[in-house]
Amino acid sequence: QVQLVESGGGLVQAGGSLRLSCAASGRTLSNYVMGWFRQAPGKEREFVAAIRWSSGIIYLADSVKDRFTISRDNAKNTMYLQMNSLKAEDTAVYYCAADSRITRSTIRDLVEYDYWGQGTQVTVSS
């Protein structure tokens, strides 16, 4: 079992920045992929970013690749999502997720992730 706890959400003006954190516990993460997904009101949950823990290779959705970045701190077992130049359309609940069986072809598929955090709200005012 992997426990995931997100933090760092809040209200920010358009053009501003936020950094989300996802603290993981329960398992060694070396074989895991960890990801960020988001769900806006009335919309399906969508992929935002992911990182392969062992190599640090990152994957970003096209909609955020020029504004967001994902990173991890091995010592703290924590993943981050740095969000810059935020837009109103970035408003959503952001979830972190993890799984040890993710491949490059499935990294954007939320159904492939077994472990999820409770989510943190990000609201961008225009």
Side-chain angles (χ1 to χ4, degrees):
Q1 290 283 351
V2 177
Q3 292 78 44
L4 303 172
V5 179
E6 303 99 332
S7 60
L11 174 64
V12 64
Q13 288 188 332
S17 298
L18 277 177
R19 189 178 78 159
L20 305 183
S21 300
C22 174
S25 61
R27 288 282 177 88
T28 301
L29 298 176
S30 57
N31 295 325
Y32 279 73
V33 168
M34 293 187 68
W36 288 101
F37 291 79
R38 67 185 181 185
Q39 188 165 19
K43 295 188 176 182
E44 294 185 350
R45 196 170 297 188
E46 64 174 3
F47 171 79
V48 177
I51 185 166
R52 189 168 293 279
W53 199 266
S54 57
S55 65
I57 294 174
I58 67 172
Y59 305 82
L60 293 164
D62 288 343
S63 59
V64 305
K65 64 181 180 180
D66 296 326
R67 301 182 294 121
F68 293 7
T69 191
I70 185 172
S71 62
R72 89 272 195 242
D73 184 325
N74 279 314
K76 296 182 178 180
N77 257 21
T78 299
M79 173 178 67
Y80 303 99
L81 184 68
Q82 178 66 44
M83 305 185 294
N84 300 324
S85 302
L86 282 160
K87 305 175 181 179
E89 51 262 44
D90 295 317
T91 294
V93 178
Y94 283 71
Y95 298 90
C96 70
D99 203 274
S100 61
R101 303 160 299 166
I102 302 293
T103 64
R104 184 175 179 178
S105 63
T106 62
I107 205 158
R108 291 171 172 80
D109 297 336
L110 63 92
V111 297
E112 298 294 327
Y113 290 79
D114 272 354
Y115 303 105
W116 291 84
Q118 81 288 352
T120 186
Q121 177 70 47
V122 172
T123 302
V124 184
S125 62
S126 56

